[in-house]
């Protein structure tokens, strides 16, 4: 007979981190992520009233594209989602981290359940008063028959309605938009296009107005080794830089899979 194998015991949960250790871990993760993004920032911490940790990001080299002070953006929301995913692992006490651009974010508003409506109070109703019988009516002679009016001629069928005009496209082509040139934006767009071509990297500029996307597309015309186009619809529309010869991302630029890698 073969020896029976005893099932292994589940791993013990990790001990809860102290507030100082939790802040140090958040600061380490945010510093590494913002460094890889190319937007280093000074971090300001404050304990929120709902138990979460509020962090203000004071960018040292200017705000990223689409980020404004004191307002929510896709960049900050994505960074907050990624950070909480890395912090909330099995066996670790959960504590949410809220991020704000330039200012401390407000704590989450928890909606309270509405109070139940009071039950209706039964009201005793008075007994119905008996109605008197209706008076007798005198007999009325039936009306004389009336000749039916002549039927009018059948109207001709209406002409079919003209077809509705074609629905406008959700997004106009930015290359056809006439805008004034922005020298600073044009220089930054050309530098990003040359970087995508030389390194073989994919880049995208999101949360931009249609006029700014048009300025970027016109500024990068003629840059060799990279294709630039507008993709998406509505708020998700962005300018994408696609290199002609993509290159794999070096391992040292990838985010670590285990928190122990941050200790090195």
């Amino acid at each position: 007979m073969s020896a029976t194998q005893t099932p292994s015991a589940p791993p013990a949960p990790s001990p809860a981190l102290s507030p100082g250790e939790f802040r140090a871990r958040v600061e380490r993760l945010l510093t590494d992520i913002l460094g890889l993004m190319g937007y280093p920032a000074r971090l300001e911490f404050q304990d929120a009233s709902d138990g979460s940790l509020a962090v203000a990001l004071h960018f040292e080299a200017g705000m990223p594209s689409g980020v404004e002070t004191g307002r929510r953006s896709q960049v900050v929301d994505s960074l907050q989602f990624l950070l909480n995913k890395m912090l909330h692992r099995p066996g670790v006490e959960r504590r949410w981290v809220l991020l704000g651009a330039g200012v401390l974010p407000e704590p989450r508003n928890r909606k309270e359940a509405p109070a139940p409506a009071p039950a209706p109070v039964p009201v005793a109703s008075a007994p119905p008063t008996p109605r008197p019988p209706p008076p007798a009516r005198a007999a009325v002679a039936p009306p004389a028959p009336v000749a039916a009016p002549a039927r009018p001629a059948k109207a001709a069928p209406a002409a079919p309605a003209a077809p509705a005009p074609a629905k406008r496209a959700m997004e106009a082509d930015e290359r056809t938009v006439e805008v004034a040139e922005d020298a600073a934006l044009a220089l930054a767009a050309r530098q990003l296009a040359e970087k995508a071509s030389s390194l073989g990297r994919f880049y995208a500029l999101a949360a931009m107005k249609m006029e700014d996307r048009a300025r970027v597309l016109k500024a990068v015309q003629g840059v060799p080794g990279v294709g630039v186009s507008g993709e998406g619809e509505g708020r998700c529309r962005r300018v994408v830089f696609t290199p002609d010869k993509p290159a794999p991302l070096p391992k040292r630029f990838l985010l670590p899979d285990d928190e122990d890698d941050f200790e090195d």
Side-chain angles (χ1 to χ4, degrees), residues 10-212:
S14 303
L17 299 177
S18 64
E21 294 173 342
F22 184 75
R23 286 194 181 188
R25 185 181 179 190
V26 172
E27 182 177 7
R28 184 168 61 251
L29 288 173
L30 274 177
T31 302
D32 292 339
I33 296 175
L34 294 174
L36 293 175
M37 292 173 58
Y39 290 97
R42 178 177 59 86
L43 307 180
E44 178 184 358
F45 297 90
Q46 182 180 7
D47 293 327
S49 59
D50 62 345
S52 59
L53 179 62
V55 184
L57 307 178
H58 301 282
F59 294 98
E60 300 175 356
M63 294 285 187
S65 177
V67 178
E68 299 181 10
T69 302
R71 300 187 62 180
R72 294 187 56 181
S73 64
Q74 295 180 352
V75 176
V76 177
D77 288 349
S78 300
L79 181 59
Q80 176 179 302
F81 175 81
L82 175 62
L83 179 63
N84 283 287
K85 277 292 185 181
M86 299 177 69
L87 291 172
H88 298 165
R89 298 189 175 183
V92 178
E93 181 184 4
R94 295 195 173 190
R95 186 183 180 190
W96 294 99
V97 178
L98 307 178
L99 302 182
V103 295
L104 290 169
E106 296 292 335
R108 298 181 177 181
N109 295 326
R110 299 181 179 178
K111 297 182 179 180
E112 298 181 356
V121 179
V123 179
S125 59
T129 304
R131 299 179 62 183
R137 295 185 179 181
V140 180
V146 180
R151 181 178 298 178
K154 188 176 182 180
K167 187 177 181 180
R168 294 181 56 187
M170 293 298 294
E171 291 291 343
D173 186 1
E174 290 86 352
R175 300 182 188 275
T176 62
V177 179
E178 297 294 335
V179 292
E181 183 180 0
D182 188 335
L185 181 60
L187 177 60
R190 286 193 295 269
Q191 292 177 349
L192 185 59
E194 294 172 355
K195 185 176 180 180
S197 175
S198 60
L199 300 180
R201 300 284 185 267
F202 291 83
Y203 296 100
L205 298 177
M208 299 181 68
K209 298 180 180 179
M210 182 175 63
E211 292 77 7
D212 291 337

